[in-house]
Amino acid sequence: MSVRIWVSTLFDPVYRCGGWAYVRADGAELTGQAGGQRQTTAGGLGPLALAAALSDLDPKTPITVHAAAPLRAAITALPGHVAAGWRTPDNEPVADADLWKLLLPKLGARPITVLPAPEGRINPTAFADAWAELGRDKAKASGKAFASAIPKTNLAKVKGL
């Protein structure tokens, strides 16, 4: 059985800060976390969210990741980037390669399915969006990185799991 993970990231280019969140369903068990970063990039938030979501999973556990198009494309491109020495087809360095390299051991050799984030206002991605916004705002206000578990009582109310 595949563990399902919904990932959301939000980035504020003016302040170079962003937030991330994930909701994870492993059978009936729900977990989630939200965080925020200062001095980051839009593309650097996805690996942070995925690393947090995978931190306590067996590296052989199959996962299904629901994410927006940029993160889906980045995950799908990983094998090619590794094979090309972390260079793009235009021979440019891969953006945020340092964060993706840190994520690779957590991805392991597990089977990964990458799907679009569901549309609409009442689903796990919309729930994660709200928490990613909170993470971004906390990082912006405090001036430092932030991460916190999403309370189980909140997770129990997520529609669409």
Side-chain angles (χ1 to χ4, degrees):
M1 183 169 127
S2 182
V3 172
R4 296 177 301 155
I5 303 168
W6 291 264
V7 177
S8 177
T9 63
L10 295 172
F11 180 68
D12 184 337
V14 173
Y15 293 98
R16 290 187 35 93
C17 67
W20 56 265
Y22 75 85
V23 174
R24 186 177 79 192
D26 186 357
E29 182 182 352
L30 300 177
T31 56
Q33 189 174 22
Q37 285 293 124
R38 293 285 303 199
Q39 300 305 311
T40 190
T41 65
L45 296 166
L48 294 172
L50 280 172
L54 300 174
S55 67
D56 60 345
L57 281 183
D58 182 302
K60 295 177 187 150
T61 302
I63 60 171
T64 299
V65 178
H66 300 267
L71 181 55
R72 289 193 324 268
I75 294 168
T76 304
L78 273 177
H81 291 324
V82 172
W86 294 98
R87 307 294 286 184
T88 67
D90 298 331
N91 203 29
E92 296 294 321
V94 171
D96 304 302
D98 55 334
L99 295 171
W100 287 107
K101 286 177 186 177
L102 291 173
L103 177 64
L104 281 178
K106 292 181 186 332
L107 290 173
R110 75 177 78 237
I112 301 171
T113 303
V114 184
L115 298 173
E119 304 226 355
R121 294 185 26 201
I122 302 176
N123 60 57
T125 302
F127 177 84
D129 285 346
W131 282 91
E133 184 176 7
L134 174 74
R136 181 195 61 200
D137 292 348
K138 281 191 169 260
K140 181 178 163 187
S142 70
K144 54 188 170 187
F146 161 80
S148 179
I150 297 172
K152 298 257 185 214
T153 53
N154 293 62
L155 289 165
K157 298 174 185 175
V158 178
K159 304 287 186 202
L161 293 177

